[in-house]
Amino acid sequence: SLAEKKTYIVHVAKSEMPESFNHHTLWYESSLNSVSDSAQLIYTYDNAIHGFATRLTPEEASSLESQTGILAVLPEMKYELH
Amino acid sequence: TTRTPQFLGLDKSADLFPESSSSSDVIVGVLDTGIWPESKSFDDTGMGPIPATWKGECETGTNFTTANCNRKLIGARFFSKGYEAMLGPIDESKESKSPRDDDGHGTHTATTASGSVVPGASLFGFAPGTARGMATRSRVAAYKVCWLGGCFSSDILAAIEQAIIDNVNVLSLSLGGGMSDYYRDSVAIGSFAAMEKGILISCSAGNAGPSSYSLSNVAPWITTVGAGTLDRDFPAEVIIGNGKNYSGVSLYRGHALPDTPLPFIYAGNASNSSSGNLCMMGTLTPEKVAGKIVLCDRGVSARVQKGVVVKSAGGLGMVLANTPANGEELVADAHLLPATAVGEKEGDAIKKYLFSDPNPTVKIVFQGTKVGIQPSPVVAAFSSRGPNSITPQILKPDLIAPGVNILAGWSKNVGPTGLASDNRRVDFNIISGTSMSCPHVSGLAALIKSAHPDWSPAAVRSALMTTAYTAYKNGLSLKDSATGKQSTPFDHGAGHVDPISAVNPGLVYDLTVDDYLSFLCALNYSAVQITTLARRKFQCEPSKKYNVNDLNYPSFAVLFQTTGGANIVKHTRVLTNVGPASVYNSSVTSDSSLVKISVEPQVLSFRENEKKSYTVTFTSTSGATTQSVNSFARLEWLDGKNVVGSPISISW
């Protein structure tokens, strides 16, 4: 399971953050904990995107994508110097 | 750089870009391989206090502390969490876990955009002169996102996030990847947020030319930069045994070859491997190569690596011949052995001699640096080409800038070839790519921004595009290195950047965030896709008719459906007068009789700061065609002083 983990960038609709959370990072952690026992936040973003980066299995990514407020779970992309 | 300032006319522009505080208030953020802070190009002599708006900092890590920054290099950060999550902890014996540049690329791009003036610069005496960036008084902030294993989107997004918080004015990204739709592409998404904050984002178009549809970074809120040549060359002539001469290029400086002709062999005949002609590692037979000059074909492995292979097999030198993939374009390299690169035609002629003469010989004559080469600029063969594969109605690249054989700062942790076996260390290196043209435009955008601090990123880009030139001084059209023929807007976009004209463009095509949101509606993006890209709930109005053709872009890409489509396409634009009151007349030139182009109104009279709209109607006169055909045209608005030009591509 660990071996098949990949990095994903998770885009969220910040306006849909449940009122029970007083900071978006807490919401992100809670969302992650609901789909994975071990996943951790690599980055949280608030200016370039609304969301975070994390390592998930494909199943966890799929499960996360179905949650309310989660817009997209996109796999990490590799860019190259030109 | 030691030639582009003259090539672009910046050496005569002191009065256009006064050394005012506004020019030193502009901050260029560079996302790349980091920075070599000891480069003389980051000398901060004469620079005033760091702008009060600046929120960035210099981070500490391997061989890098806050003391490495100054009033020129005001920010240096590194982003490795995504990289390490993917590939494991950084091996600090191999790369610096800090903003320090172990590769050279990041120092090259940053100094090209913003480097201070450094007299007496050269690479082994090649390209000598005073090196400087495009915006010498701007400040630099380096964001290291690329590592030995590549550049990952999570790190790139983190760097853009931080650059927005830090308050950069221009972002320069000489990297790219894939051809994803905008809402899946981290560079496009992050750039949208930066654009919203008034940051101009300049990105390299890619080096996948001359194939069509090879562009990256094509989002309309990004300035996409292709590459052209300078009027400078580094000739190294090949003289074969029958007395014929062939021109090549080289940056080799080292032990000279004997003055007498040397035995010459084709690599394909000095190998037991089917790919021996490519001089891949371990494929050359030393007994056949020793004491000879070897002709290798270009491709698959790095050009400088082929030289190492020849040298380690006992070869004395190398002639590197282009294949059809590269045509006649010559890229000079600082080889580790005497070597020169020749074009495909020259290579074929030399091979013919090699195959026909039982005892072939050759001499390589290195001739140093030559300037004044014409025609220049020529679109680089490697520069990626349109059409735009994501939104064909947006013409890309936006423009071209110098990107071939560019001298700029380098890292002292690596030699000029980048090879592990290259122990040479240099202050400046000469390399090529759209990576090199992009920071030219980033720096020039910083200059325009310093002259017009209130202009939006779209207005700055418009100024750069509408004043770009598409013909040489003798009136002939820009050429394409890949074909030797006239280049098209799919190759050069609006043309070659002309910063002096861009300072006073007369009129600009401005764009707001709302315009881009309407553009996304026109693409039929879903609410989720728009929120992903633009970080907001935005409802496209069901009653409103959105049209991609109406994005107020400084160029036109007209699409006629091959079957069943309308034969009339209309594009509407709004011009903003950024000069004094004036009357502009439109003028259209076209290379095709297949389409009729009319502009309404044909004359626009502007007061100061006034906006006026116009519509261009394209009527296909050929009827529906089953073939994919491209033609090109140009629209200009002229008031006797300014020429506000827009390229037009028309595709069926």
Side-chain angles (χ1 to χ4, degrees):
Chain A
S1 165
L2 274 175
E4 63 177 282
K5 279 199 173 192
K6 291 198 292 189
T7 303
Y8 292 89
I9 295 169
V10 181
H11 295 258
V12 308
K14 216 172 152 188
S15 60
E16 292 180 33
M17 180 172 83
E19 286 181 5
S20 53
F21 297 104
N22 55 18
H23 195 273
H24 55 267
T25 305
L26 299 173
W27 177 35
Y28 300 161
E29 283 172 342
S30 171
S31 300
L32 263 189
N33 290 339
S34 70
V35 299
S36 169
D37 295 332
S38 57
Q40 293 187 336
L41 295 173
I42 299 173
Y43 288 112
T44 59
Y45 309 99
D46 204 34
N47 291 276
I49 66 166
H50 288 159
F52 56 93
T54 188
R55 301 270 295 169
L56 299 168
T57 65
E59 294 75 27
E60 289 167 347
S62 176
S63 173
L64 185 62
E65 196 160 27
S66 65
Q67 289 192 6
T68 305
I70 305 296
L71 296 168
V73 181
L74 303 176
E76 175 100 285
M77 296 250 299
K78 192 172 164 184
Y79 289 73
E80 287 177 354
L81 295 165
H82 282 155
Chain B
T1 72
T2 49
R3 187 64 186 170
T4 47
Q6 294 96 317
F7 192 69
L8 298 171
L10 291 174
D11 53 329
K12 297 172 193 148
S13 64
D15 50 339
L16 284 170
F17 303 109
E19 295 193 353
S20 63
S21 62
S22 63
S23 56
S24 56
D25 282 349
V26 180
I27 301 159
V28 180
V30 182
L31 270 63
D32 212 298
T33 61
I35 206 81
W36 190 261
E38 292 83 5
S39 170
K40 287 177 187 168
S41 298
F42 302 122
D43 186 342
D44 67 350
T45 303
M47 298 209 76
I50 291 168
T53 55
W54 181 239
K55 301 279 183 273
E57 62 180 60
C58 289
E59 295 176 348
T60 298
T62 317
N63 197 16
F64 204 101
T65 70
T66 53
N68 287 119
C69 287
N70 59 17
R71 290 182 172 190
K72 178 70 180 178
L73 177 63
I74 63 172
R77 298 184 185 271
F78 63 102
F79 300 86
S80 60
K81 287 182 191 170
Y83 177 65
E84 291 188 296
M86 185 73 90
L87 297 175
I90 285 172
D91 180 347
E92 292 187 54
S93 70
K94 290 185 178 151
E95 54 184 335
S96 305
K97 193 172 177 182
S98 75
R100 184 164 289 280
D101 180 13
D102 303 310
D103 177 281
H105 191 279
T107 304
H108 202 278
T109 53
T111 55
T112 297
S114 298
S116 301
V117 175
V118 184
S122 78
L123 170 66
F124 305 136
F126 290 103
T130 297
R132 53 163 284 193
M134 298 301 102
T136 54
R137 298 191 59 78
S138 64
R139 320 284 182 145
V140 186
Y143 297 85
K144 181 171 174 179
V145 295
C146 293
W147 304 84
L148 280 177
C151 331
F152 290 98
S153 52
S154 59
D155 292 329
I156 292 170
L157 267 179
I160 295 175
E161 166 99 4
Q162 193 61 56
I164 292 170
I165 296 167
D166 289 349
N167 266 333
V168 304
N169 303 107
V170 175
L171 265 179
S172 190
L173 282 78
S174 288
L175 48 83
M179 291 178 189
S180 310
D181 222 321
Y182 309 132
Y183 63 89
R184 302 181 70 87
D185 177 354
S186 291
V187 167
I189 297 171
S191 298
F192 192 98
M195 169 275 296
E196 260 191 279
K197 301 283 184 184
I199 299 167
L200 182 139
I201 305 99
S202 164
C203 289
S204 47
N207 301 336
S211 307
S212 299
Y213 297 99
S214 54
L215 294 163
S216 54
N217 300 320
V218 294
W221 46 91
I222 289 173
T223 301
T224 315
V225 188
T229 63
L230 286 174
D231 65 338
R232 181 176 63 190
D233 220 339
F234 306 100
E237 205 174 29
V238 177
I239 305 172
I240 55 176
N242 63 11
K244 287 189 175 169
N245 297 359
Y246 298 95
S247 54
V249 298
S250 180
L251 295 170
Y252 172 74
R253 185 61 51 92
H255 296 298
L257 288 168
D259 205 31
T260 51
L262 292 166
F264 195 19
I265 190 167
Y266 179 53
N269 293 338
S271 170
N272 293 323
S273 164
S274 58
S275 59
N277 61 315
L278 297 171
C279 294
M280 307 289 285
M281 191 75 84
T283 60
L284 294 180
T285 308
E287 299 80 52
K288 292 184 176 176
V289 165
K292 293 176 184 164
I293 306 282
V294 182
L295 186 142
C296 304
D297 285 323
R298 192 170 159 188
V300 185
S301 64
R303 300 181 301 274
V304 287
Q305 181 68 48
K306 292 173 192 289
V308 172
V309 171
V310 171
K311 192 177 182 184
S312 59
L316 291 181
M318 176 178 72
V319 175
L320 183 60
N322 278 358
T323 62
N326 321 106
E328 300 311 305
E329 178 164 270
L330 300 179
V331 180
D333 293 301
H335 290 281
L336 286 160
L337 86 171
T340 185
V342 298
E344 183 195 6
K345 284 181 193 162
E346 287 81 359
D348 287 347
I350 296 169
K351 277 181 232 172
K352 204 172 169 187
Y353 161 73
L354 270 171
F355 300 149
S356 62
D357 193 306
N359 294 301
T361 61
V362 69
K363 270 173 71 176
I364 303 175
V365 181
F366 299 94
Q367 296 167 318
T369 307
K370 280 197 176 165
V371 294
I373 305 295
Q374 297 301 339
S376 58
V378 174
V379 178
F382 62 74
S383 188
S384 288
R385 315 301 173 99
N388 179 335
S389 58
I390 307 293
T391 317
Q393 297 94 330
I394 301 295
L395 180 58
K396 293 276 182 175
D398 288 316
L399 75 174
I400 60 167
V404 179
N405 296 334
I406 304 300
L407 179 139
W410 199 245
S411 164
K412 285 276 182 83
N413 269 0
V414 67
T417 60
L419 297 171
S421 59
D422 188 351
N423 295 317
R424 301 169 298 177
R425 295 294 179 263
V426 295
D427 293 314
F428 295 93
N429 196 12
I430 297 172
I431 53 173
S432 301
T434 53
S435 272
M436 282 67 245
S437 57
C438 164
H440 275 90
V441 167
S442 310
L444 297 173
L447 274 185
I448 306 295
K449 186 81 181 166
S450 70
H452 303 286
D454 55 331
W455 281 11
S456 70
V460 173
R461 175 179 57 190
S462 173
L464 291 166
M465 286 176 66
T466 61
T467 57
Y469 62 92
T470 55
Y472 302 111
K473 281 176 186 159
N474 62 10
L476 294 175
S477 298
L478 295 189
K479 281 190 160 184
D480 180 357
S481 184
T483 61
K485 297 176 184 164
Q486 185 177 325
S487 62
T488 75
F490 286 152
D491 312 317
H492 61 236
H496 193 276
V497 68
D498 177 6
I500 305 305
S501 301
V503 182
N504 295 304
L507 307 170
V508 295
Y509 295 89
D510 207 355
L511 282 161
T512 64
V513 175
D514 285 344
D515 294 322
Y516 289 119
L517 290 170
S518 294
F519 166 79
L520 299 179
C521 291
L523 293 181
N524 291 319
Y525 269 31
S526 68
V528 165
Q529 288 164 343
I530 292 179
T531 310
T532 300
L533 181 52
R535 309 168 341 280
R536 74 193 68 201
K537 259 193 165 167
F538 182 81
Q539 207 66 47
C540 301
E541 290 176 38
S543 58
K544 194 171 169 183
K545 206 173 175 191
Y546 297 97
N547 193 339
V548 177
N549 295 341
D550 291 340
L551 183 72
N552 201 33
Y553 216 71
S555 57
F556 298 83
V558 181
L559 276 187
F560 289 110
Q561 298 300 319
T562 49
T563 52
N567 67 342
I568 294 178
V569 174
K570 289 176 185 271
H571 286 237
T572 298
R573 296 287 188 273
V574 176
L575 280 163
T576 305
N577 183 21
V578 291
S582 193
V583 177
Y584 282 83
N585 288 280
S586 64
S587 166
V588 175
T589 50
S590 172
D591 69 1
S592 172
S593 58
L594 294 175
V595 64
K596 186 174 160 245
I597 304 170
S598 63
V599 181
E600 186 58 38
Q602 293 183 336
V603 179
L604 291 174
S605 179
F606 289 93
R607 291 193 297 271
E608 267 188 56
N609 301 316
E610 195 177 14
K611 290 179 188 288
K612 287 274 172 81
S613 75
Y614 70 91
T615 299
V616 191
T617 304
F618 302 89
T619 308
S620 174
T621 56
S622 66
T625 168
T626 52
Q627 275 184 300
S628 177
V629 179
N630 297 317
S631 75
F632 302 97
R634 183 172 170 84
L635 165 65
E636 290 181 342
W637 290 94
L638 310 103
D639 72 341
K641 188 180 164 211
N642 293 294
V643 178
V644 185
S646 291
I648 300 169
S649 69
I650 303 156
S651 306
W652 285 264

